[in-house]
């Protein structure tokens, strides 16, 4: 939401943007043509001590994501407080540097003494109020402050895309030195400011060997003196005041002239401007996202260069940076001349700017920057570059009146430290090394160095770029398992074998091209085909290209020819020359060997013929020679040529390869990814009638669910996996092998899986854990029919205390999903991020409820566009589940096209859309979008979702609408407001209900049908998971009459009825439990987990009831030590529901144990001996109905309904016990059964009395 100040004073886009800029950027400096400006004033530099160590503690305490979020929120609150003081005292916040702030008080020279006193008083206030503050991780945050004064220069630089400004000269150097001299809690005056200040007011201490002084005390200025000093500051017009606070921020007096607006916008990050233009609330500016940070430091002798020279250096450096960064969508986030000298913070992967391989792009940019700046500044010693990758907070930080849009996180701090400790090279962390996917010979391991505040930085590397090894490329890097065959690619392997046979026997040249998105298994397939070719006795030349190759001219042709000619094994230059002369004898003239020098790193003497050629003729001869060498290399003898990632063939290589491939007889296999120029070339060639007989172009389909199960069993070394695990992997991997591998790796790393030996017929202990284990292992999915036939074998299941819905999306998949998300415009992203909070399936009414008011009117249009983009899909009642959709649909070309979608129809009306239901086409995209939210905003959205859904927390009309646990809301007053859900819904609620029913039906299909294609027969699972109640069910249907308030007709609606409750439990109750868990409200989450379990029992799904009770037990155990979190009534319901599940699954002894525990908690003891039963029976005969009726009438409505809930729950428990003991067939069993019946009859009469009293007092 907008702040009070924004609501009152922000009347234009220009004024909204002004909070991101200092007052220094006034109209005269923006419209003038000069690149620098001299000003006079006082500088204050405040820095937090041990901020890097604080960052490390947050990450260690709460993990990467949550720790980063908590760090950002802690920093933002702290900065807000100290900026409040600075703004109150008239300061102009110039620059932020993470935990440091540079502030200016601009004043005439004759007023510097008074202004220094004003700044000192501000500093003392800050140190007094906020100089030492505790943090959630137990480390204190303390401040160090330095002050300087005098003349200084402001330099402006940049280009047509982005502009920056910096303060320089002696005053900046002195304030940096003063801050460095300060210890925590101290204020240091520079030498110049000490000379200029009002010394009679100050108490100071001289520092040994320094001209700067430490201020130990001062005589405070009066209020009138402060106001007088404020009035004399330069350009201090009437200020705006934030409602309810004391901060005053001088307004930016700027006209609405287009030139001013245009220039001003160049000082604000593009992403912030786009969100300002879309009028998004500031709360929605911030995200948690993985980025790659690039920190650059220049060693500039600022004391010895003029302002004009510095301005030129900064201008040239920024322009060069933009030229290098822009092709990779990297952004300059900060330019600083304080804190760490002259430094640039650049970021890859920001909102709307994310590309695949961002870590690789950052490393490529870093080496270009190092080389370019080294040339510019006379040596690499003057430049250092550090690259790190990881989670950061990217968004708004600071004060409502003065803020910045920046990145905050552990990895940013690590890059800053690495930049300082590893000068003259490009350093990177282990995460960047791994994410680049470059071979090890592109890096060198760096020695470990002690970096302040960082205890365990991990292995650090130097990125060296192109080396001798990288010039000749590499073979296929994927390893083939001798024991595990490639799964799900039988069609592709058969095609390869038949084409190879035709080439060998008939000489038919052929190019076999496989296209597939990232992670589809192209590399594994090519490795398998290369192995099959070698096993058949053929020569195989295999190369794997990298993303770096596409930007290196002739790299692809060099790699292919070098490996075909065997040059990669030659160590010496002379060895390579002899090899070339041997292989190419008769192919090219002796005079042309020198043309191969640059490409193969050889040193043939330059012939006179080549020396006399002009540049055009030499270029033509060079191409001709390379073409001959290529033709000789790949067409000289029978063999198979394999190129992995052929879409990375560079344009220069393709200009030579293309005509050769058309004319040479060869057999080539290659893999391609969609979206590249080379892929389109092969696709067009395959469609060309003249070429189609020589090129086979095949799209790699996603793996079938059965293949996914086989792959998982193979990777885990087990014969079968649980159905829940199979469902999770099938749905989230979308049949993409790499996604499946990453998900499985993440589950194993998080210790969420459990391997056990499956022994059928072996009877376990009679307890709840045994029941849970038997349910999970009841019908696992086997890797093969032979595996399922055996009685013994290793089975992989999910740990009992693990909920897979809470599993975090692996970083690798998150990167892929965010690259897709960032192709969208900000408004589309905002709609998707809100929808992601709701879940994979959502209704338009709920989405409209949580969207910011400013974009609700655009919702339908944006949803239509997202459906056209294949991000979302509209749902219909007749929609076929994803696993059984038409298999003839075209192949997917991107992450978002992996699931079938329904195109939006122009015939849909606005009214229909208002109650429509949509779903994400790909689950990782929904999870990635959800994980972008910082915790504060995420919790607020979950609260909105819960408030909307709670209007529909009841059974359907056919089941009389009440709570699934009778009178649950009245028994636990803290969970609900006690309002009735049974009244007629208005028209809007009716449409919402219909949409939620449709959404729930889709969710249920997704849950129950995800594994159908993996196994033909689901009867065994259905017998347990969604079994009819049988005898127990019919018995419970009778007692259903006593659990509803409204009518006596409930008996005809047994739990097995076909009603809308099946859908409502999926779309309302299950999401409510998830929303409250995300909000950290354990009591309400437990409440809805119990409602979920009761609802699943109501619709005959004992398995899902057991699952929800297990989730409730995990939550109950986690809050066990906290007082009054879970009410006694809910504890009783918990055991009662457990007993009901046990009863329905044949665990009669365990059921009785659970029901007795429930009755005990309900203050209704049931005897354990026959003697006790006889005594209790006599006591029950003495019950006085008249007394109960009088007591019911005397109680207030809230207490009466709460008592009624207890009675109804007691009645249900006693009904169960009556039935359980009646099944024993023994005399004692009959005794206990009759007692339970008598107790139930008394309880029912009491419930009737309370029900009647409630009816009279309505």
């Amino acid at each position: 939401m907008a702040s009070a100040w924004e609501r009152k004073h922000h009347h234009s886009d220009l004024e909204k943007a002004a909070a991101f800029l200092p007052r220094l950027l006034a109209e005269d400096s923006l419209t003038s043509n000069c690149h620098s400006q001299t000003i006079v004033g006082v500088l204050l530099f405040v820095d937090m001590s041990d901020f890097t160590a604080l960052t490390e503690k947050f990450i260690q305490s709460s993990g990467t994501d949550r720790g980063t979020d908590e760090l950002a929120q802690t920093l933002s609150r702290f900065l807000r407080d100290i900026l409040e003081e600075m703004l109150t005292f008239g300061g102009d916040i110039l620059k932020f540097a993470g935990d440091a702030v540079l502030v200016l008080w601009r004043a005439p020279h004759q007023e510097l003494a008074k202004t220094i006193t004003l700044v000192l008083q501000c500093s003392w206030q800050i140190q007094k109020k906020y100089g030492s503050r505790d943090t959630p991780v137990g480390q204190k945050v303390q401040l160090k402050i330095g002050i300087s004064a005098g003349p200084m220069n402001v330099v402006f630089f940049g280009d047509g895309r982005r502009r920056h400004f910096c303060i320089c000269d002696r005053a900046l150097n002195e304030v940096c030195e003063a801050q460095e001299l300060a210890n925590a809690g101290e204020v240091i005056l520079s030498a110049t400011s000490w000379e200029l200040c009002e010394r009679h007011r100050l108490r100071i201490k001289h520092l040994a060997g320094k001209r700067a002084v430490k201020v130990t005390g001062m005589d405070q200025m009066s209020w009138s003196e402060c106001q007088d000093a404020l009035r004399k500051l330069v350009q201090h017009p009437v200020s705006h005041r934030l409602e309810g606070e004391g901060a005053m921020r001088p307004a930016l007096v700027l006209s609405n002239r287009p030139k001013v607006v245009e220039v001003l916008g160049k000082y604000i990050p593009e992403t912030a401007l786009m969100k300002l233009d879309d009028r998004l609330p500031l709360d929605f500016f911030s995200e948690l996202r993985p980025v790659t940070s690039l920190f650059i430091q220049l060693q500039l002798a600022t004391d010895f260069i003029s302002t004009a020279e510095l301005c030129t250096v900064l201008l040239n450096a920024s322009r060069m940076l933009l030229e290098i960064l822009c092709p990779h969508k990297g952004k300059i986030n900060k330019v600083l001349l304080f804190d760490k000298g002259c430094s640039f913070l650049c970021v890859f992967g920001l909102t709307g700017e994310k590309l695949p391989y961002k870590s690789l792009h950052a490393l490529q940019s870093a080496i270009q920057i190092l080389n370019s700046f080294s040339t510019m500044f006379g040596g690499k010693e003057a430049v250092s570059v550090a690259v790190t990758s990881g989670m950061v907070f990217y968004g708004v930080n600071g004060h409502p009146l003065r803020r910045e849009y920046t990145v905050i996180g552990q990895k940013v701090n690590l890059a800053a430290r690495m930049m300082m400790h590893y000068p003259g090279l490009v350093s990177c962390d282990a995460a960047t090394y791994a994410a680049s996917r470059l071979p090890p010979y592109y890096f060198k391991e760096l020695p470990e160095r002690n970096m302040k505040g960082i205890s365990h930085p991990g292995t650090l590397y130097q990125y060296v770029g192109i080396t001798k090894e990288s010039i000749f490329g590499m073979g296929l890097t994927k390893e083939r398992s001798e024991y595990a065959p490639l799964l799900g690619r039988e069609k592709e392997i058969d095609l390869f074998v038949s084409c190879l046979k035709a080439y060998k026997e008939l000489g038919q040249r052929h190019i076999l091209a496989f296209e597939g998105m990232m992670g589809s298994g192209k590399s594994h397939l090519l490795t398998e085909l290369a192995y099959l070719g070698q096993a058949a006795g053929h020569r195989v030349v295999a190369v794997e290209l990298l993303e770096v190759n596409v930007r290196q001219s002739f790299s692809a042709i060099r790699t292919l020819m070098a490996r075909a000619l065997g040059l990669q094994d030659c160590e010496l230059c002379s060895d390579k020359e002899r090899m070339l002369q041997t292989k190419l004898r008769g192919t090219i003239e002796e005079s042309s060997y020198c043309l191969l020098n640059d490409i193969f790193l050889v040193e043939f003497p330059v012939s006179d013929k080549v020396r006399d050629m002009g540049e055009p003729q030499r270029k033509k001869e060079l191409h001709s020679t390379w073409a001959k060498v290529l033709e000789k290399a790949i067409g000289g003898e029978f063999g198979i040529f394999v190129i992995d990632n052929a879409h990375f063939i560079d344009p220069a290589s393709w200009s030579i390869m293309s005509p050769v491939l058309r004319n040479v007889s060869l057999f080539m296999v290659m893999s391609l990814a969609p979206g590249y120029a080379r892929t389109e070339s092969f696709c067009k060639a395959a469609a060309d009638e003249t070429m189609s007989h020589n090129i086979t172009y095949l799209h790699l389909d996603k793996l079938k669910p059965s293949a996914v199960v086989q792959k998982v069993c193979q990777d885990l070394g087990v014969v079968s996996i649980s159905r829940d695990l199979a469902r999770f992997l099938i749905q989230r991997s979308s049949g993409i092998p790499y996604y499946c591998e990453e998900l499985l790796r993440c589950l194993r790393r998080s210790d969420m899986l459990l391997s056990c030996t499956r022994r059928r017929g072996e009877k376990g202990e009679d307890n709840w854990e045994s029941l849970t284990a038997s349910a999970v292992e009841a019908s696992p999915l086997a890797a093969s029919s032979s595996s399922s036939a055996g009685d013994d074998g290793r089975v992989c299941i999910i740990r009992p205390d693990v909920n897979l819905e809470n599993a975090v999306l692996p970083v690798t998949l998150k990167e892929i999903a965010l690259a897709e998300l960032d192709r969208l415009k900000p408004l589309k992203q905002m709609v998707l991020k809100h929808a992601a909070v709701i879940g994979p399936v959502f209704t338009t009414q709920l989405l409209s409820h949580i969207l910011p008011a400013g974009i609700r009117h655009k919702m339908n249009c944006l949803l239509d566009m997202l459906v056209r983009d294949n991000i979302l899909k509209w749902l219909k009642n007749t929609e076929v589940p994803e696993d059984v959709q038409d298999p003839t649909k075209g192949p997917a070309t991107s992450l978002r096209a992996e699931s079938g979608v329904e195109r939006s129809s122009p015939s849909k009306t606005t009214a229909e859309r208002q109650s429509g239901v949509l779903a994400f086409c790909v689950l990782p995209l929904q999870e990635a979008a959800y994980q972008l939210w910082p915790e504060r905003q995420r919790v607020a959205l979950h609260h909105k979702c819960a408030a909307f859904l709670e209007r529909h927390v009841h059974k359907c009309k056919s089941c009389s609408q009440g709570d699934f646990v009778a009178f649950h809301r009245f028994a636990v007053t803290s969970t609900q407001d006690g309002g009735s859900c049974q009244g007629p819904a208005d028209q809007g609620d009716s449409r919402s209900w219909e949409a939620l029913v449709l959404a729930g039906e889709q969710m249920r299909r997704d849950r129950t049908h995800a594994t159908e294609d993996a196994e033909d027969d689901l009867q065994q699972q259905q017998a347990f998971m969604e079994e009819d109640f049988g005898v127990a069910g019919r018995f419970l249907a009778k007692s259903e009459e006593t659990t509803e308030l409204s009518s006596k007709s409930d008996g005809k609606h047994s739990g097995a009825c076909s009603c809308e409750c099946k859908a409502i439990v999926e779309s309302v109750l299950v999401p409510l439990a998830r929303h409250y868990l995300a909000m950290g409200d354990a009591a309400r989450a437990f409440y809805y987990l119990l409602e979920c379990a009761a609802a699943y029992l109501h619709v005959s799904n004992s398995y899902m009831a057991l699952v929800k009770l297990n989730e409730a037990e995990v939550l109950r155990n986690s809050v066990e030590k906290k007082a009054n979190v879970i009410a006694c009534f809910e504890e009783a319901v918990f055991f009662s529901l457990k007993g009901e599940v046990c009863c329905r699954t044949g665990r009669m002894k365990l059921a009785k144990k659970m029901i007795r525990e429930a009755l005990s908690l309900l203050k209704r003891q049931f005897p354990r001996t026959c003697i006790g039963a006889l005594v209790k029976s006599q006591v029950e005969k003495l019950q006085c109905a008249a007394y109960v009726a009088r007591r019911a009438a005397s109680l207030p409505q809230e207490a009466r309904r709460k008592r009624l809930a207890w009675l109804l729950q007691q009645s249900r428990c006693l009904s169960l016990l009556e039935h359980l003991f009646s099944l024993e067939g023994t005399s004692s069993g009959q005794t206990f059964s009759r007692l339970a019946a008598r107790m139930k009859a008394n309880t029912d009469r009491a419930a009737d009395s309370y029900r009647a009293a409630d009816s009279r007092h309505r």
Side-chain angles (χ1 to χ4, degrees), residues 944-1193:
K944 284 187 175 182
C945 290
F948 180 92
L949 291 175
E950 282 181 332
R951 288 160 27 194
H952 305 283
V953 182
H954 54 80
K955 298 178 183 177
C956 64
K957 288 183 179 179
S958 64
C959 296
S960 72
Q961 290 195 317
D963 294 335
F964 288 95
V965 175
F967 274 64
H968 195 175
R969 71 191 61 206
F970 304 112
V972 188
T973 54
S974 62
T975 304
Q976 289 273 35
D977 58 8
S980 174
C981 298
Q982 300 178 30
D986 59 29
Q987 186 180 4
D989 281 344
S990 176
R991 286 199 298 268
S992 297
W993 177 272
E994 293 170 2
L996 288 168
V997 169
L998 177 58
E1001 289 171 352
Q1002 177 65 29
M1003 293 175 185
R1004 191 167 64 88
R1005 283 197 296 269
D1006 288 343
R1007 177 174 55 77
T1008 57
H1009 294 153
T1011 57
E1012 276 190 353
D1013 197 35
E1015 185 176 65
D1016 296 328
D1017 188 4
L1018 279 177
Q1019 292 179 355
Q1020 185 180 0
Q1021 185 195 27
Q1022 295 296 334
F1024 180 81
M1025 288 179 62
E1026 298 183 5
E1027 58 183 339
D1028 258 346
F1029 286 172
V1031 177
R1034 288 192 292 273
F1035 157 73
L1036 288 170
K1038 294 179 183 178
S1039 66
E1040 193 76 12
E1041 299 176 10
T1042 66
T1043 63
E1044 298 299 337
L1045 176 67
S1046 58
S1047 71
K1048 299 290 184 178
S1049 62
D1050 298 341
K1052 65 184 179 182
H1053 299 298
S1054 71
C1057 66
S1058 177
C1059 63
E1060 293 175 338
C1061 293
K1062 290 183 178 180
I1064 288 302
V1065 66
E1066 303 286 354
S1067 61
V1068 177
L1069 295 177
V1070 172
L1072 273 170
R1074 178 175 60 84
H1075 289 311
Y1076 279 114
L1077 277 173
M1079 293 161 59
D1081 192 336
R1084 301 191 102 176
F1086 192 79
Y1087 175 98
Y1088 284 112
L1089 285 172
L1090 295 182
E1091 283 287 309
C1092 288
Y1096 277 123
L1097 287 172
H1098 176 73
V1099 298
S1100 309
N1101 195 333
S1102 299
Y1103 177 77
M1104 286 307 298
L1106 182 144
V1107 169
K1108 292 304 169 185
L1109 287 172
N1110 277 334
E1111 291 179 23
E1113 184 158 41
V1114 172
L1115 179 60
R1116 176 173 168 267
N1117 293 337
S1118 68
V1119 298
E1120 202 170 29
K1121 297 179 181 179
K1122 300 179 182 178
N1124 301 323
V1125 174
I1126 297 174
C1128 182
F1129 175 80
E1130 295 201 305
E1131 286 274 359
V1133 172
F1134 176 63
F1135 283 102
S1136 173
L1137 292 172
K1138 276 188 171 185
E1140 195 167 335
V1141 169
C1142 294
C1143 179
R1144 295 181 180 188
T1145 52
R1147 299 293 187 95
M1148 302 307 181
K1149 183 178 178 181
L1150 183 60
K1152 286 185 281 189
K1153 178 181 177 182
M1154 294 295 177
I1155 297 300
R1156 285 179 186 273
E1157 181 67 25
L1159 283 171
S1160 175
L1161 289 166
L1162 290 168
K1163 309 296 190 292
R1164 196 87 160 101
Q1165 300 292 338
F1166 193 85
R1168 297 181 180 274
T1169 66
C1170 291
I1171 295 176
L1174 292 173
V1175 174
K1176 184 69 174 176
S1177 179
Q1178 296 303 314
V1179 172
E1180 290 294 322
K1181 291 178 181 179
L1182 301 176
Q1183 290 284 351
C1184 181
Y1187 169 77
V1188 174
R1190 287 195 303 271
R1191 177 172 173 77

Side-chain angles (χ1 to χ4, degrees), residues 329-567:
K329 291 196 173 183
K331 298 294 180 182
I332 301 176
N333 184 257
K334 280 182 174 41
V335 183
L336 303 172
L337 284 181
F338 68 104
D339 193 24
K340 293 177 175 61
C342 180
S343 57
F344 297 80
L345 172 59
C346 310
V347 189
F348 294 78
L350 296 177
T351 307
E353 304 289 349
K354 194 174 187 64
L355 291 175
Y357 310 106
K358 73 176 188 317
S359 296
L360 176 58
H361 294 159
L363 289 172
Q364 289 178 283
S365 301
I367 202 73
Q368 281 184 268
I369 291 167
L370 181 70
N371 295 332
S372 300
F373 280 14
S374 298
T375 303
M376 182 185 298
F377 300 112
K380 291 186 177 180
E381 296 76 15
V383 187
S384 61
V385 187
V387 185
T388 57
S389 298
M391 188 64 63
V392 301
F393 172 89
Y394 177 50
V396 176
N397 185 42
H399 191 280
L401 300 178
R402 179 68 176 95
R403 58 178 71 96
E404 67 163 348
Y405 199 61
T406 188
V407 291
I408 299 169
Q410 176 202 31
K411 291 295 186 175
V412 181
N413 291 355
L414 178 59
R417 290 283 186 249
M418 289 165 57
M419 170 188 73
M420 302 291 290
H421 287 82
Y422 297 98
L425 51 85
V426 175
S427 57
C428 72
D429 66 340
T432 306
Y433 169 84
S436 70
R437 299 189 177 185
L438 289 172
Y441 48 72
Y442 278 83
F443 301 88
K444 290 181 181 178
E445 191 170 324
L446 288 170
E448 186 176 343
R449 292 181 182 171
N450 292 326
M451 294 184 283
K452 181 183 176 183
I454 297 177
S455 54
H456 303 290
T459 305
L460 302 180
Y461 299 89
Q462 177 188 357
Y463 176 67
V464 296
I466 300 174
T467 61
K468 176 183 174 181
E469 292 87 349
S470 62
I471 284 178
F472 292 113
M474 59 184 178
L476 302 180
T477 56
K478 298 297 181 184
E479 296 182 0
R480 180 186 181 276
S481 173
E482 298 181 6
Y483 309 101
L486 188 66
L487 298 171
R489 298 300 179 203
E490 293 78 11
K491 179 178 69 173
E492 290 80 3
I493 292 174
D494 291 343
L495 177 63
F496 169 79
V497 172
S498 61
C499 290
L500 182 60
K501 183 178 180 181
Y503 174 59
K504 182 179 179 182
E505 296 179 357
L506 305 176
Q508 295 178 356
R509 61 191 177 89
H510 209 86
I511 297 178
L512 194 55
F514 297 101
E515 182 198 324
M517 61 176 294
M518 180 181 175
S520 58
K522 303 185 299 294
S523 299
H524 281 293
L525 175 60
L526 262 61
T527 300
E528 181 72 13
L529 299 183
Y531 169 80
L532 293 175
Q534 287 178 332
H538 305 308
R539 173 177 177 253
V540 176
V541 177
V543 297
E544 179 178 345
L545 299 179
L546 304 170
E547 206 272 347
V548 294
N549 297 122
V550 79
R551 303 181 187 278
Q552 300 171 8
S553 296
F554 304 110
S555 62
I557 193 172
R558 173 198 295 126
T559 301
L560 183 61
M561 289 192 298
R563 300 194 78 84
L565 297 173
L567 298 183

